[in-house]
Amino acid sequence: MAEGSDRSNGGLVKMDSTESRWVFQEEDDSEDGGVRNSYESEEEDNGEQRLIRTGPRIDSFDVEALEVPGVQRHDYEDFNLGGSLILVLQTLGVVFGDVGTSPLYTFDIMFNKYPISEKEDVLGALSLVLYTLIIIPLVKYTLIVLWGNDDGEGGTFALYSLICRNAKASLLPNQLPSDARISSFRLKVPSAELERSLKLKEHLETSAILKKLLLILVLFGTAMVIAGGVVTPAMSVMSAVNGLKVGIASVEQGEVVMITVAFLIVLFSVQKFGTSKMGLAVGPALFLWFCCLGGIGVFNLIKYGMTAFRAFNPFYIYHYFKKNPFQAWNALGGCLLSATGSEAMFADLCYFSVRSVQLTFIFLVLPCLLLGYLGQAAFLMENPTQNEQIFFSSMPSGVFWPVLFVAMIAALIASRAMTTATFSCIKKATALGCFPRLKIIHTSRKFMGHIYIPVVNWFLLVFCLGFVATFGSINKIGNAYGIAEVGVMMVTTVLVTIIMLLIWQINIFLVLFYFIFYVGLELLFFSSVLGGVSDGSWVLLLFAAVLFMIMSIWNYGSKMKYETEVKRKLSMDLMLKLGCNLGTIRAPGMGLVYNELVKGIPAIFGHFLTTLPAIHSMIIFVSIKYVPVPVVPQNERFLFRRVCPKSYHMFRCIARYGYKDVRKEHHQIFEQLLIESLEKFIRREAQERSLESDEDGDSDSEAETSFSSSVLVAPNGSIYSLGVPLLSDYECLEKQSSEASSSFSQAIDDAVTDPGKSLESELSFIHKAKESGVVYLLGHGDIRARKDSWFFKKLIINYFYAFLRKNCRRGIATLSIPHTHLMQVGMTYMV
């Protein structure tokens, strides 16, 4: 096979001159015969399938992608000192609020069911908390998982996207070879000596079961992230408001619930102001909170003694489990809450750089957390009966009210950590076809990753208020919180393990150690939190199950719809029989036919031909496609290909977007960018034909009958083989009628004899079509299950998927198209 190509500065890619592949070839064809082409035809002729050595199979999409220069990715590394300080404050305000407020409730839940009998119990629990903080947030997430980011993007779907980019693990069959030419793909080709990477890649690409299992795992993790976005605000705010019961003895739990509800409504109401504004506004407040946390810890250590430092000896964990095994196992659920926010730290990475998150956690967040827990443990060893609202009970009376105020502000900030992570995760899931389309508002002009999803925001608020009103206690909410956290932690562990094997190519023994250690540890935590399901945590599991079903149904329906459209697409033979007028009248103007297909002519176009009295003189099939990369540079956005012979004036355009890209172009701007890219494509096409005519000038007959070789000259003078040329579309098909054959041959003769005239004529035709008006032809294809389908398929397709599709946002909604420029036709496919 052809060796992997190297990309240098985003320029042209040198490829091996030959490769082995299966092609259809007549028995009497010679080994040097040309490879037949049929525009975008996917139909296979009944020939003998033989493995022969051929040139690289590159179509026009691939050639066009080779010429696009690479673009430096957008990141946050190049800041001056002032910008770095601002970034640190924003990082505190957005990323670390959740893990920063865990001292408010961790020890309360650990000692909720079992009282403290002796100091060793406190030291054992403290040792559990200290090593949980070190092993999970520090080692796993800060030092390992953060490096698994997808070009600066974090979260479950970013890991899935990274895997899909290196192995074709996506279930949606719309991948193209040209996708790998996007400069932000940044593939690392597995080295030859590490065969396990190649074998894993092969298994992922060929096994439908593995692809489905991988998708199920990702959807489960996403459901847990969204569930965490519901329970995190309830837990953080209520634990802070509980401090009022320490300061005012007359405050009852019912009043705490009412105040919590009021705070949550305010919190979700200000979410629309955006991460950048809110992060900078609340960053100083959270910095003050960490200072209070560390300062109170130091105060308690000085006042009650330094005995708590003995908990760094892991022997106390062993002693704790040996003396009270069931109590220690039950306390693991509360201990896990000390690491809450670890996943948010990774999921919110799209807002900030890896370096800023790592440095802020290691040098500010972690030391303050350790001091806070050490101080609380020192207080508990001297006051073992005060095992409720431990944080507020342990602080000096003179600073109680100021610290309570700061704690409430910090809790509100913490509630935003998983909310922003939820927004980010849902946007990625939507782009990769795993979540219904929703309205997304970009809250920052500078950073495209800062988003707000109104429907999700109010959805989270309603369910959050329901959790608070139903449970009314942090002890019950805390167990549900632990289930959501450990669920997504396990998913992240498995996905990072795959990345270690497939991309990082780490020693297999280190990978096994990482996987066994963390999966075993997280399963131990999971067993502890599952023990409290009967207390009400089952509600969260049911909520996550509903989310999982919604995403699974949407992905299944989208996949069925796409596969059906591929099967029902119009054949090239039919288009050739219709002729250049397509069996109707070609009226002046340009028609943009929107469809999801990346290859072939959609069946909905035939519906347009039979429904409309005339069709536009120029037709462009536009496919909006999301590729598994964060960002596609603007100059790599559009890829073009000619559909049918030149006289048809039909083109295929694929508009590629990354899952982080903003799709808010005005329709006129979109049209301008599309037409400019089309003109570049036509000029490049003419330039290539000119090169071909120069190469084959001595053999006119050969130039007319075969275009099986092509070259492209780079600016540095290097010659690159492109295999199948762009204009091989002019070669006649065997099954073509004699009348069509003569007209196509005439088109070839005109293009070869006077390429300059042909180029200017076609460019002029494009401008006239544009001036006559651009109309958007939208084909809404729906699917229905056949009558003989099994019951569950009818239920899923005809009811659940139809309901989601009816109530989700249309894919074209981001382009503000006037109704006078819009024409829609519906079509139903039976699957």
Side-chain angles (χ1 to χ4, degrees):
M1 295 295 291
E3 298 178 1
S5 58
D6 297 327
R7 181 176 294 277
S8 177
N9 297 325
L12 293 174
V13 180
K14 282 191 176 183
M15 307 184 72
D16 195 4
S17 59
T18 58
E19 66 174 0
S20 297
R21 62 182 175 90
W22 290 101
V23 299
F24 287 96
Q25 193 177 43
E26 298 293 337
E27 300 244 353
D28 56 350
D29 283 349
S30 65
E31 199 172 275
D32 296 324
V35 181
R36 294 176 319 185
N37 298 279
S38 58
Y39 313 104
E40 285 196 334
S41 177
E42 302 289 327
E43 301 172 11
E44 298 175 345
D45 296 331
N46 296 324
E48 181 184 359
Q49 193 179 38
R50 300 167 60 187
L51 182 65
I52 63 173
R53 182 74 69 174
T54 69
R57 187 173 186 176
I58 305 178
D59 62 17
S60 57
F61 285 154
D62 301 326
V63 174
E64 190 171 0
L66 291 177
E67 285 197 332
V68 179
V71 180
Q72 296 293 329
R73 81 169 184 89
H74 175 77
D75 57 27
Y76 303 89
E77 304 290 344
D78 300 328
F79 279 110
N80 54 28
L81 180 60
S84 300
L85 292 176
I86 293 175
L87 188 61
V88 168
L89 291 178
Q90 289 181 326
T91 306
L92 280 175
V94 175
V95 178
F96 296 112
D98 193 4
V99 69
T101 54
S102 60
L104 290 174
Y105 46 77
T106 298
F107 278 141
D108 291 32
I109 296 175
M110 290 184 74
F111 296 115
N112 172 51
K113 294 183 178 180
Y114 300 95
I116 301 171
S117 58
E118 56 184 21
K119 292 184 178 180
E120 280 70 17
D121 291 346
V122 178
L123 288 175
L126 175 61
S127 187
L128 277 174
V129 170
L130 295 180
Y131 281 99
T132 298
L133 281 172
I134 293 172
I135 292 173
I136 295 181
L138 177 61
V139 177
K140 178 185 174 181
Y141 280 91
T142 305
L143 301 181
I144 298 177
V145 174
L146 286 184
W147 293 113
N149 68 87
D150 183 15
D151 198 19
E153 293 291 309
T156 305
F157 263 98
L159 295 175
Y160 180 62
S161 172
L162 192 59
I163 294 172
C164 289
R165 190 157 77 244
N166 287 269
K168 297 177 181 178
S170 176
L171 289 175
L172 197 63
N174 65 345
Q175 296 89 6
L176 289 173
S178 55
D179 294 340
R181 306 288 196 270
I182 299 175
S183 58
S184 54
F185 245 70
R186 296 170 176 260
L187 291 181
K188 178 182 179 183
V189 180
S191 54
E193 65 271 17
L194 296 179
E195 294 184 1
R196 59 179 171 79
S197 297
L198 293 170
K199 290 180 179 179
L200 177 61
K201 182 175 183 293
E202 181 181 0
H203 288 319
L204 283 175
E205 292 180 345
T206 57
S207 174
I209 295 178
L210 287 180
K211 290 181 180 180
K212 291 178 181 178
L213 288 176
L214 181 62
L215 181 63
I216 289 172
L217 185 70
V218 172
L219 295 184
F220 171 76
T222 305
M224 285 299 181
V225 170
I226 300 174
V230 170
V231 74
T232 297
M235 186 68 183
S236 300
V237 176
M238 183 173 285
S239 61
V241 176
N242 270 336
L244 290 174
K245 292 163 53 173
V246 177
I248 305 174
S250 61
V251 174
E252 300 293 337
Q253 187 62 31
E255 295 170 332
V256 169
V257 171
M258 293 174 60
I259 296 173
T260 301
V261 168
F263 276 140
L264 290 174
I265 294 174
V266 173
L267 168 70
F268 283 94
S269 298
V270 301
Q271 191 78 35
K272 62 183 178 181
F273 292 109
T275 302
S276 181
K277 301 181 183 69
M278 293 300 298
L280 187 58
V282 301
L286 202 61
F287 177 77
L288 181 60
W289 162 251
F290 279 110
C291 292
C292 291
L293 188 63
I296 293 173
V298 172
F299 170 81
N300 287 325
L301 287 171
I302 295 174
K303 181 177 179 180
Y304 299 107
M306 302 292 178
T307 310
F309 280 98
R310 293 162 56 188
F312 281 102
N313 185 352
F315 169 78
Y316 287 98
I317 298 177
Y318 169 77
H319 180 73
Y320 190 35
F321 274 89
K322 182 179 180 181
K323 180 185 176 184
N324 306 300
F326 186 74
Q327 177 182 347
W329 173 79
N330 188 75
L332 283 175
C335 176
L336 175 66
L337 299 183
S338 64
T340 56
S342 300
E343 188 64 30
M345 182 169 58
F346 179 51
D348 286 329
L349 186 62
C350 61
Y351 297 97
F352 308 102
S353 66
V354 174
R355 184 178 302 172
S356 65
V357 174
Q358 289 177 326
L359 294 180
T360 305
F361 182 79
I362 293 174
F363 293 106
L364 176 60
V365 176
L366 183 61
C368 292
L369 287 175
L370 295 178
L371 288 173
Y373 284 115
L374 288 168
Q376 289 186 43
F379 169 81
L380 277 176
M381 283 188 287
E382 298 298 327
N383 304 274
T385 59
Q386 300 186 26
N387 60 347
E388 293 183 358
Q389 287 85 48
I390 299 171
F391 173 78
F392 296 104
S393 300
S394 65
M395 71 174 62
S397 58
V399 297
F400 176 81
W401 291 107
V403 173
L404 175 62
F405 176 76
V406 175
M408 289 183 178
I409 298 298
L412 293 173
I413 297 169
S415 302
R416 301 186 67 259
M418 284 304 295
T419 306
T420 53
T422 301
F423 292 159
S424 176
C425 188
I426 288 178
K427 184 178 187 298
K428 296 168 187 173
T430 302
L432 296 177
C434 296
F435 203 92
R437 290 183 292 268
L438 302 172
K439 181 180 180 180
I440 297 176
I441 298 175
H442 295 264
T443 59
S444 174
R445 295 183 178 179
K446 185 176 182 182
F447 301 125
M448 67 179 66
H450 295 192
I451 61 173
Y452 166 69
I453 307 178
V455 173
V456 174
N457 184 67
W458 302 121
F459 172 85
L460 294 178
L461 172 61
V462 171
F463 279 89
C464 185
L465 295 180
F467 264 84
V468 172
T470 302
F471 295 111
S473 168
I474 64 170
N475 296 320
K476 294 182 178 180
I477 297 176
N479 195 74
Y481 195 13
I483 291 176
E485 286 293 326
V486 75
V488 72
M489 284 180 182
M490 289 191 293
V491 172
T492 298
T493 299
V494 176
L495 295 179
V496 171
T497 301
I498 296 175
I499 288 175
M500 286 179 173
L501 292 171
L502 181 66
I503 304 172
W504 293 352
Q505 300 173 4
I506 297 176
N507 185 280
I508 187 67
F509 296 105
L510 293 177
V511 176
L512 287 176
F513 174 78
Y514 168 84
F515 179 77
I516 294 172
F517 178 79
Y518 278 105
V519 168
L521 179 65
E522 288 156 1
L523 284 175
L524 183 63
F525 281 121
F526 196 56
S527 67
S528 177
V529 294
L530 280 181
V533 169
S534 59
D535 295 336
S537 300
W538 61 270
V539 176
L540 186 75
L541 291 175
L542 180 62
F543 176 77
V546 171
L547 289 172
F548 177 83
M549 290 301 298
I550 290 174
M551 291 185 288
S552 300
I553 290 171
W554 181 262
N555 181 265
Y556 174 74
S558 300
K559 178 175 175 290
M560 291 292 294
K561 178 176 177 292
Y562 189 88
E563 290 177 345
T564 303
E565 289 183 339
V566 170
K567 295 176 183 177
R568 297 284 300 276
K569 63 186 179 183
L570 302 181
S571 67
M572 191 60 63
D573 287 340
L574 174 62
M575 301 302 296
L576 295 175
K577 290 178 182 178
L578 290 175
C580 61
N581 288 329
L582 301 178
T584 183
I585 301 173
R586 302 295 293 270
M590 181 180 295
L592 303 182
V593 182
Y594 274 79
N595 193 261
E596 296 179 2
L597 286 186
V598 296
K599 288 184 178 180
I601 300 174
I604 198 75
F605 183 64
H607 210 39
F608 278 113
L609 293 178
T610 56
T611 304
L612 302 179
I615 199 69
H616 300 82
S617 58
M618 174 169 284
I619 296 294
I620 301 178
F621 297 101
V622 181
S623 173
I624 303 294
K625 177 185 176 182
Y626 283 95
V627 290
V629 295
V631 177
V632 176
Q634 186 63 54
N635 58 347
E636 299 183 42
R637 177 82 65 218
F638 299 104
L639 290 184
F640 279 89
R641 180 181 211 165
R642 195 179 290 278
V643 179
C644 295
K646 191 173 183 180
S647 59
Y648 281 59
H649 300 294
M650 296 171 63
F651 299 88
R652 157 80 59 200
C653 171
I654 298 180
R656 304 179 298 180
Y657 291 84
Y659 55 77
K660 190 180 174 182
D661 274 325
V662 182
R663 279 188 57 201
K664 294 183 66 176
E665 305 104 326
H666 189 270
H667 72 97
Q668 293 180 346
I669 299 177
F670 183 84
E671 293 168 10
Q672 180 181 352
L673 293 173
L674 185 144
I675 293 174
E676 287 176 357
S677 299
L678 176 59
E679 291 176 350
K680 292 178 182 178
F681 164 77
I682 293 174
R683 287 191 176 93
R684 182 163 47 247
E685 186 184 60
Q687 182 182 9
E688 185 181 298
R689 174 159 296 284
S690 176
L691 290 173
E692 287 179 355
S693 61
D694 291 341
E695 288 286 328
D696 302 327
D698 296 335
S699 179
D700 294 336
S701 61
E702 184 178 348
E704 293 177 5
T705 57
S706 176
F707 295 94
S708 60
S709 63
S710 176
V711 295
L712 190 64
V713 181
N716 59 6
S718 301
I719 298 178
Y720 297 83
S721 175
L722 300 178
V724 181
L726 294 174
L727 292 189
S728 60
D729 295 349
Y730 291 114
E731 184 180 357
C732 300
L733 299 174
E734 291 183 358
K735 299 179 181 181
Q736 182 180 331
S737 64
S738 59
E739 181 181 352
S741 296
S742 61
S743 63
F744 296 160
S745 300
Q746 183 64 37
I748 294 174
D749 294 337
D750 294 342
V752 173
T753 55
D754 196 354
K757 183 178 179 181
S758 175
L759 171 62
E760 294 303 324
S761 174
E762 188 160 18
L763 292 178
S764 175
F765 188 89
I766 293 174
H767 287 295
K768 290 180 180 179
K770 172 67 169 59
E771 292 172 358
S772 299
V774 178
V775 176
Y776 291 76
L777 306 175
L778 306 186
H780 297 302
D782 293 322
I783 58 174
R784 300 280 295 179
R786 292 191 181 94
K787 292 183 179 181
D788 57 347
S789 300
W790 46 289
F791 171 75
F792 286 106
K793 183 177 181 180
K794 290 182 180 179
L795 186 66
I796 292 173
I797 296 297
N798 296 350
Y799 296 97
F800 295 150
Y801 178 72
F803 174 80
L804 293 175
R805 186 170 175 82
K806 181 179 179 181
N807 291 277
C808 75
R809 188 175 175 86
R810 293 288 184 181
I812 195 63
T814 52
L815 294 176
S816 54
I817 305 173
H819 292 291
T820 55
H821 292 208
L822 187 61
M823 188 175 298
Q824 304 184 57
V825 171
M827 189 171 184
T828 301
Y829 302 104
M830 303 303 294
V831 297

